Amino acid sequence: QVQLQESGPGLVKPSQTLSLTCTVSGGSISSGGYYWSWIRQHPGKGLEWIGYIYYSGSTYYNPSLKSRVTISVDTSKNQFSLKLSSVTAADTAVYYCARMNTAMWGFDYWGQGTLVTVSS
Amino acid sequence: QSALTQPASVSGSPGQSITISCTGTSSDVGGYNYVSWYQQHPGKAPKLMIYEVSNRPSGVPDRFSGSKSGNTASLTISGLQAEDEADYYCSSYTSSSTPCVFGTGTKVTVL
């Protein structure tokens, strides 16, 4: 059973960089056919796709965040990461990592989510 | 890329059927059979309920069904149960500047 687990600081100061890591267990991140994804949800709001990465390193980002987002993968640790720079209070949200299964074009496994608050 | 449009809320009594719509454009919902639906209970991660318009992952009850007509996809819950009370989101592949877009979300209430 594939499991994803987010980790990282729950509090980030304005203008700093938000950094999160997603550790994948029960399956190899190097398996083809999956995009490893970051999705966020502002408090009481809907889901917002941030971007995803293929194990080869190819990335796709939401244009609204593209200038501030970097997603990377570490196949040796079976992890992928999110960096969001120059954060403001508007970046306060629950951040989820998820696996996009291209065989079904759906996010079939999700992490539990982690709340990141941007505040001084 | 704008979010796909869903009704803010839908309600029904136990045993009834309800349908949630998800309206996009020919660049997303109407152009591809890559529509998926997610159920989210409060404080929990979303769960995949339907993929590729009408397919159910293993373990999802057959009370949940999906369809599409033109630029609008739909999720139908038949025989509504108390545990179906949750938020539901659609998602679609898009040919616009972003390959993935979510719907605005629908709160389902079981009366």
Side-chain angles (χ1 to χ4, degrees), chain A residues 42-57:
Chain A
H42 294 103
K45 302 297 184 182
L47 301 170
E48 180 182 26
W49 177 75
I50 297 172
Y52 46 49
I53 188 166
Y54 201 60
Y55 77 94
S56 61

Side-chain angles (χ1 to χ4, degrees), chain B residues 10-99:
Chain B
V10 174
S11 62
S13 300
Q16 286 187 330
S17 292
I18 62 168
T19 296
I20 304 167
S21 61
C22 170
T23 301
T25 69
S26 58
S27 296
D28 39 63
V29 174
Y32 306 91
N33 287 327
Y34 291 138
V35 176
S36 51
W37 289 90
Y38 302 86
Q39 176 191 65
Q40 186 181 34
H41 288 110
K44 301 294 186 182
K47 174 186 176 183
L48 179 65
M49 304 300 284
I50 295 287
Y51 66 93
E52 292 179 348
V53 176
S54 60
N55 296 297
R56 281 185 310 276
S58 175
V60 172
D62 60 6
R63 305 184 288 105
F64 292 85
S65 62
S67 62
K68 189 183 83 167
S69 177
N71 295 337
T72 298
S74 298
L75 173 71
T76 297
I77 309 175
S78 305
L80 197 62
Q81 298 184 5
E83 63 257 37
D84 300 333
E85 186 162 292
D87 293 326
Y88 291 83
Y89 295 90
C90 61
S91 180
S92 175
Y93 174 82
T94 104
S95 60
S96 67
S97 55
T98 175

